């Protein structure tokens, strides 16, 4: 696939997660990779790391938009480390860059990414969210979340 045609799916979620959420994020990451898109995320631990790990298992490309000033803060499964020094403001970059976003669990940081995604007119899929946000499309399984994202972006 030509890089100009490469779809970017963001996986957003907490920096810490349970074993159950880790497995959901891993499956989402793998599904994104197997369908030929790149995964973009905040590049750190928790949901982000699990999704990157799944994407790598699926043969995919992973991009981490890092909050700090060092590429060393990226998890071991990030291929392209984008160092921003922007802390939480990096959420705007993730939401603006992604073709669609899949939100898994998470808290206030995830909520900000969801809000930016919706503000920018992006499709946002929610999987196992603890809160309801108008405009977020709910999915019940990782496979459904990936399918909805790909349907939305064509």
């Amino acid at each position: 696939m030509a890089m100009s045609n490469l779809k970017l799916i963001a996986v957003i979620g907490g920096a810490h997660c349970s074993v159950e959420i880790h497995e959901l994020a891993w499956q989402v990451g793998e599904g994104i990779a197997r369908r030929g898109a790149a995964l973009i995320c905040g590049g750190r631990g928790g949901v982000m790391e699990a999704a990157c790990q799944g994407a790598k298992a699926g043969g995919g490309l992973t991009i981490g938009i890092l909050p700090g000033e060092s590429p060393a803060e990226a998890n071991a499964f990030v291929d392209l480390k984008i160092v921003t020094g922007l802390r939480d403001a990096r959420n705007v970059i993730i939401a603006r860059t992604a073709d669609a976003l899949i939100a898994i669990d998470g808290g206030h940081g995830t909520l900000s990414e969801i809000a930016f995604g919706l503000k920018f007119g992006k499709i946002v899929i929610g999987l196992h969210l603890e809160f309801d946000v108008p405009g977020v499309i709910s999915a019940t399984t990782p496979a459904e979340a990936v399918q909805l994202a790909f349907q939305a972006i064509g």
Side-chain angles (χ1 to χ4, degrees), residues 1 5-10 28-40 55-56 58-63 99-100 146 149-150 153:
M1 175 178 282
N5 296 330
L6 184 63
K7 299 293 185 186
L8 297 175
I9 308 290
V28 166
E30 182 187 39
I32 289 168
R34 293 215 185 276
R35 295 200 52 175
L39 186 148
I40 186 169
K56 294 312 299 171
L61 174 68
T62 59
I63 304 163
D99 294 306
V146 171
F150 276 88
I153 63 174

Side-chain angles (χ1 to χ4, degrees), residues 4 15 24 34-35 65 76 81 88 92 95 99 110 117 124 127 133-134 137-138 141:
S4 63
L24 294 176
R34 293 215 185 276
R35 295 200 52 175
I65 308 298
K81 301 164 182 74
D88 291 333
V92 173
D99 294 306
T110 305
V124 180
L127 178 63
V133 178
I137 301 166
S138 183
T141 67

Side-chain angles (χ1 to χ4, degrees), residues 5-86:
N5 296 330
L6 184 63
K7 299 293 185 186
L8 297 175
I9 308 290
V11 175
I12 58 177
H16 306 282
C17 66
S18 68
V19 172
E20 175 192 8
I21 297 301
H22 184 279
E23 179 60 25
L24 294 176
W26 192 98
Q27 289 178 32
V28 166
E30 182 187 39
I32 289 168
R34 293 215 185 276
R35 295 200 52 175
L39 186 148
I40 186 169
C41 68
R44 298 188 68 198
V47 166
M48 299 168 280
E49 183 171 15
C52 287
Q53 186 177 15
K56 294 312 299 171
L61 174 68
T62 59
I63 304 163
I65 308 298
L66 301 167
E69 298 175 1
S70 171
E73 71 182 308
N75 71 62
F77 305 98
V78 173
D79 294 314
L80 300 175
K81 301 164 182 74
I82 310 297
V83 178
T84 69
L86 295 174

Side-chain angles (χ1 to χ4, degrees), residues 9-12 95 98-104 110-127 129 131 133-139 145 148-149 152-153:
I9 308 290
V11 175
I12 58 177
D99 294 306
L101 295 88
I102 299 175
I104 306 169
T110 305
L111 188 57
S112 77
E113 289 169 298
I114 289 169
F116 285 126
L118 294 171
K119 179 178 174 64
F120 301 148
K122 305 297 175 91
I123 296 299
V124 180
I125 313 299
L127 178 63
L129 293 180
F131 42 80
V133 178
V136 173
I137 301 166
S138 183
L148 288 166
I153 63 174

